[in-house]
Amino acid sequence: MSAESPTANTVLATAGTALSSDANLAATSRGQSQLRRNLKRFLIGNRLNLIGLCLVVLFFFLAIFGEAIAPHDPYAQDITGSKLLAPSLTHPMGTDELGRDIFSRVMAGTRISLQVAVVVLTFAVVFGTLVGSIAGYFGGIVDELLMRFTDMFLAFPALILAIAIAASLGRELYWTMVALATVFWPWYARLIRGQILTIRERDFVTAGESIGLTGRQLLIRHILPNAISVVIIQLTLDVGYAILATSSLSFIGLGAQPPSPEWGTMMSTARNYFREGWWYITFPGVALTLTVFAFNILGDGLQDALDPRSGRR
């Protein structure tokens, strides 16, 4: 018996490897098929999805190339004869109180808004996912400690807490990013924890534990990939909110400072010249509205495509 035991173990290990390989191939095939169905549902399910996607692509294009292709220098001043000019062919969105071209400044401001949103949400997703994953998978005292720590941040209204943090740290854009990242990550921690609490009770997790997979392997390879779709949906929706929150803080002087072409900063200055030039505050506001609208539409479309329980088609 002792001589046959290694052979038996080798056969069982080989069979287990083969079964695992077949399961991985089947899972990959199912994943590709599901991806095609989701993509088809997103593209043809609602025409607004395409509108949102096109607008998002446009704003990312402007964020990368906007300042380079702008018709005028967004920082160049001309206070002699170009102050508060109405929209025209030369200045499609008019000029501001210093003779700067508003169209060029709005294009340049796209980079600032999206850059802030990307930095803030990257930190929020990474840190929130880390905290939520550990809390949801291990449970017990670890879950209690991490969730009570998270609840400390959720106890305050998000924007009010961000204002308090930004005001205490300094009136610069990078402190605004710190403040917004601080108030965004707890929501992702809660979201991921809830998903993991549900997923870890499924049969494939039990099967993984029975063949000896470690907690880290189960979490990274099997549980998190099944929870990531919800994070993608929430992330897309939060881009618009992050941009809006950044502009709100800048509007009250806690974000980007003049002469930055950030939209909230532009509107903050423009409110003093509304009677003389309605276009000054209008066009940055339109850009902000369209950006938030585009990401919200895209997020709704992704929710319809990725959530099989969604009734909207």
Side-chain angles (χ1 to χ4, degrees):
M1 292 296 293
S2 61
E4 294 177 357
S5 181
T7 303
N9 290 337
T10 302
V11 172
L12 289 174
T14 303
T17 302
L19 289 172
S20 177
S21 177
D22 291 342
N24 288 336
L25 289 174
T28 301
S29 177
R30 289 195 301 270
Q32 292 175 348
S33 178
Q34 183 63 39
L35 179 62
R36 286 193 294 268
R37 288 197 297 270
N38 291 341
L39 182 61
K40 182 178 179 181
R41 188 184 298 119
F42 175 80
L43 293 177
I44 68 176
N46 191 334
R47 292 182 180 178
L48 278 178
N49 297 344
L50 289 178
I51 296 175
L53 179 61
C54 290
L55 285 174
V56 167
V57 171
L58 173 62
F59 285 122
F60 272 106
F61 175 82
L62 290 178
I64 299 172
F65 303 106
E67 191 167 344
I69 65 176
H72 302 277
D73 184 350
Y75 297 95
Q77 301 180 12
D78 184 5
I79 60 176
T80 56
S82 299
K83 297 195 309 180
L84 293 176
L85 293 180
S88 63
L89 292 178
T90 305
H91 302 286
M93 294 183 181
T95 62
D96 62 12
E97 82 283 6
L98 296 177
R100 296 171 297 193
D101 182 61
I102 295 177
F103 181 57
S104 300
R105 289 178 63 77
V106 168
M107 292 176 67
T110 308
R111 174 182 297 180
I112 299 174
S113 296
L114 288 181
Q115 186 178 43
V116 171
V118 168
V119 172
V120 167
L121 293 176
T122 297
F123 173 84
V125 169
V126 171
F127 189 70
T129 298
L130 177 63
V131 173
S133 299
I134 295 173
Y137 185 78
F138 293 101
I141 187 64
V142 174
D143 183 25
E144 283 294 323
L145 290 175
L146 289 177
M147 286 302 99
R148 297 298 77 76
F149 175 69
T150 302
D151 289 341
M152 289 172 54
F153 295 89
L154 295 175
F156 302 93
L159 190 58
I160 301 300
L161 181 59
I163 290 174
I165 295 173
S168 62
L169 294 177
R171 297 172 178 266
E172 298 294 340
L173 188 59
Y174 52 83
W175 293 125
T176 298
M177 290 190 282
V178 171
L180 291 177
T182 302
V183 301
F184 268 97
W185 75 260
W187 300 101
Y188 288 93
R190 278 288 184 183
L191 181 64
I192 285 292
R193 174 183 176 271
Q195 289 294 306
I196 289 178
L197 287 175
T198 301
I199 294 171
R200 74 176 185 178
E201 302 299 328
R202 295 182 182 176
D203 292 339
F204 70 87
V205 177
T206 304
E209 292 174 342
S210 67
I211 63 173
L213 293 181
T214 64
R216 186 181 68 175
Q217 290 174 326
L218 282 171
L219 189 60
I220 296 177
R221 296 181 185 178
H222 301 285
I223 297 178
L224 280 178
N226 282 278
I228 201 66
S229 62
V230 179
V231 175
I232 293 173
I233 295 169
Q234 189 62 43
L235 177 64
T236 308
L237 293 169
D238 281 344
V239 172
Y241 182 69
I243 293 173
L244 186 61
T246 302
S247 296
S248 299
L249 292 179
S250 296
F251 185 84
I252 61 176
L254 294 176
Q257 302 297 317
S260 171
E262 198 277 328
W263 296 333
T265 303
M266 291 177 64
M267 289 189 287
S268 178
T269 305
R271 61 183 172 174
N272 299 318
Y273 300 94
F274 182 76
R275 293 183 180 224
E276 296 88 345
W278 57 267
W279 54 88
Y280 190 178
I281 195 172
T282 300
F283 289 111
V286 170
L288 177 62
T289 302
L290 283 177
T291 306
V292 176
F293 170 78
F295 279 101
N296 284 346
I297 291 297
L298 181 63
D300 286 341
L302 288 175
Q303 185 174 21
D304 290 344
L306 298 177
D307 186 359
R309 295 167 298 179
S310 177
R312 295 173 295 177
R313 293 290 183 269

